[in-house]
Amino acid sequence: MNKRITIKQIAKALSVSISTVSKALNDSYEISDETKKKIQEYAKLHKYKPNTLALSLQNKKTKTIGIIIPNILTYYFARVLRGIEKVATERGYNIITCITNESYKKEVDTMEMLSNGTIDGFIACLSIETLKKKNFDHFYSILEEGTPIVLYDRVHKNINCDKVVTDNIKSAYKATRFLMRSECKNIALITTSEGLKINKFRVKGYLKALTKYGITPNESIIIRQENEVGLTERIHEMLDNNIVDGIFTIDEVSGALATQVLNKRNIKIPEVISIVGFTNGILSRYSSPPLTSVNRFAHTTGEVAAKRLIDKLEEKIDFDDIKTEIIRTELVERDSTKKMFVKF
């Protein structure tokens, strides 16, 4: 995707003044038809898009923030949105929330639409398709225009902006260690959305904990999938062919499905197999039994992201002052693990 060009760049390329370009783009009678045509054709070729906010309000703010959510069905993202909304309301800002449904194209189209003077800044989570394509031109363009962005949860090192993340490696390490301290020796791992880097970080934390405590990882009890399709069958197959006394699930859906399988097989939880899940959402709380889970403090993530962005919009922080905030996690103990008096 080509980066959008500015009036200043058009003026430099055509050796005319910024004022001439502005008047030509607004079809002013003060500019000759020939010059107007040359400027307008050049602008169209280079995908120039006027910033209506700058043209009409001149340095005033819309007091509106664009929120990009990859999918609304995940409880975590709903909680992040609540945190953002709370801070935005307290600070006198409105929000426009858009859902990409994990689509790269929708993410690009939405951000281009909102960046046309509609909002002052973005709080965004990258879609799965965007991460797979590794094409972040739409973010680069918006940042180059001076519009601040705060990324949360799914981020990428190549996008130079503020970020709010969970320490996935450390959290997964501690969750796995908790299972080991609960006397589990054969700890299975289940992950869907295998392509996501945050999930790979969680797998890394799991493997790190096993190695640290002298347990050789057993690939036959590690289930890696791109989604939950066929996951139930794979869990059954794993249990048919292996001894398992603990399960660590990288995402909440995996935790719920693993619990269903164990219940169907009449395997007692946690007496025979303990389960710990990542992300402390509705599925975890209302599973049978309720799942011990890593609480990622989604609401706090939203609050921190909103505060960071608004402080930048209000020039309390320089635009070039880039920071990554790491949100701590905690283990919420429920009935899917043996009662332990161990600090997470």
Side-chain angles (χ1 to χ4, degrees):
M1 189 184 79
N2 294 327
K3 296 176 183 177
R4 290 201 305 272
I5 199 167
T6 64
I7 286 180
K8 185 177 180 181
Q9 290 169 325
I10 296 172
K12 184 177 180 181
L14 299 178
S15 300
V16 296
S17 69
I18 293 174
S19 175
T20 297
V21 174
S22 179
K23 290 176 180 179
L25 292 174
N26 285 285
D27 202 28
S28 171
Y29 68 90
E30 297 177 63
I31 308 299
S32 69
D33 290 340
E34 181 181 348
T35 301
K36 274 195 284 190
K37 182 180 179 182
K38 180 173 69 172
I39 291 172
Q40 289 171 1
E41 286 180 351
Y42 187 90
K44 184 177 180 180
L45 176 66
H46 292 276
K47 301 183 185 299
Y48 169 77
K49 182 172 66 173
N51 187 322
T52 55
L53 174 63
L55 292 173
S56 62
L57 299 180
Q58 293 186 350
N59 298 324
K60 291 185 179 179
K61 303 293 184 181
T62 66
K63 300 284 282 187
T64 303
I65 300 169
I67 315 299
I68 307 298
I69 296 177
N71 84 73
I72 200 62
L73 298 178
T74 301
Y75 182 74
Y76 173 82
F77 294 128
R79 292 290 298 168
V80 170
L81 180 59
R82 287 193 64 180
I84 294 171
E85 186 177 35
K86 176 178 178 290
V87 171
T89 300
E90 290 172 351
R91 300 281 290 267
Y93 283 75
N94 298 309
I95 63 173
I96 297 176
T97 305
C98 299
I99 304 165
T100 64
N101 290 323
E102 306 292 4
S103 164
Y104 166 79
K105 184 179 186 305
K106 191 166 184 181
E107 182 178 283
V108 171
D109 292 345
T110 297
M111 295 188 74
E112 285 197 342
M113 173 190 71
L114 293 180
S115 66
N116 189 20
T118 305
I119 53 91
D120 297 333
F122 284 101
I123 299 174
C125 179
L126 301 175
S127 71
I128 290 176
E129 279 193 3
T130 298
L131 287 168
K132 287 181 177 178
K133 286 178 177 289
K134 295 183 180 178
N135 187 336
F136 311 116
D137 286 350
H138 49 306
F139 286 96
Y140 301 153
S141 296
I142 290 167
L143 288 168
E144 285 178 2
E145 292 169 0
T147 301
I149 299 172
V150 177
L151 291 179
Y152 66 93
D153 191 46
R154 302 178 197 158
V155 303
H156 198 279
K157 64 181 180 180
N158 290 350
I159 304 175
N160 188 33
C161 68
D162 293 294
K163 302 175 178 77
V164 184
V165 298
T166 300
D167 190 337
N168 288 288
I169 295 176
K170 186 175 182 179
S171 299
Y173 173 89
K174 289 184 174 182
T176 307
R177 185 181 65 184
F178 178 86
L179 283 169
M180 288 189 286
R181 289 180 176 178
S182 301
E183 301 178 348
C184 296
K185 300 187 185 313
N186 301 294
I187 303 169
L189 178 134
I190 302 172
T191 172
T192 59
S193 300
E194 171 65 10
L196 284 180
K197 200 160 189 177
I198 58 172
N199 282 10
K200 291 179 180 178
F201 285 148
R202 294 171 192 172
V203 173
K204 186 175 181 179
Y206 158 85
L207 295 172
K208 182 179 178 182
L210 295 183
T211 304
K212 174 77 173 179
Y213 287 87
I215 299 175
T216 302
N218 180 2
E219 284 294 329
S220 64
I221 60 173
I222 297 177
I223 298 175
R224 307 171 192 259
Q225 294 202 169
E226 287 295 330
N227 53 55
E228 64 270 18
V229 176
L231 181 58
T232 297
E233 290 75 13
R234 289 198 64 187
I235 296 172
H236 276 295
E237 181 182 354
M238 177 186 71
L239 295 173
D240 287 339
N241 297 295
N242 299 277
I243 296 173
V244 174
D245 55 12
I247 299 176
F248 176 44
T249 65
I250 296 300
D251 55 272
E252 196 167 38
V253 172
S254 298
L257 289 176
T259 304
Q260 288 178 5
V261 170
L262 295 183
N263 287 334
K264 189 172 183 179
R265 295 171 72 103
N266 294 316
I267 296 175
K268 291 185 178 180
I269 308 170
E271 292 84 356
V272 178
I273 296 180
S274 297
I275 304 180
V276 172
F278 215 105
T279 300
N280 182 39
I282 293 174
L283 290 177
S284 298
R285 280 179 277 170
Y286 294 105
S287 290
S288 180
L291 293 183
T292 294
S293 303
V294 177
N295 186 0
R296 300 173 62 199
F297 293 101
H299 191 276
T300 302
T301 297
E303 289 184 353
V304 170
K307 287 175 183 175
R308 183 72 183 176
L309 181 67
I310 293 171
D311 281 349
K312 225 158 219 196
L313 293 174
E314 296 179 351
E315 299 181 351
K316 295 177 181 179
I317 303 172
D318 290 339
F319 180 83
D320 294 327
D321 180 8
I322 305 301
K323 183 177 181 182
T324 296
E325 302 265 9
I326 299 175
I327 304 300
R328 69 180 184 87
T329 62
E330 70 175 12
L331 198 69
V332 179
E333 293 184 53
R334 297 195 180 94
D335 297 339
S336 69
T337 53
K338 297 166 187 174
K339 298 300 179 186
M340 297 288 291
F341 296 98
V342 179
K343 187 176 180 181
F344 181 54

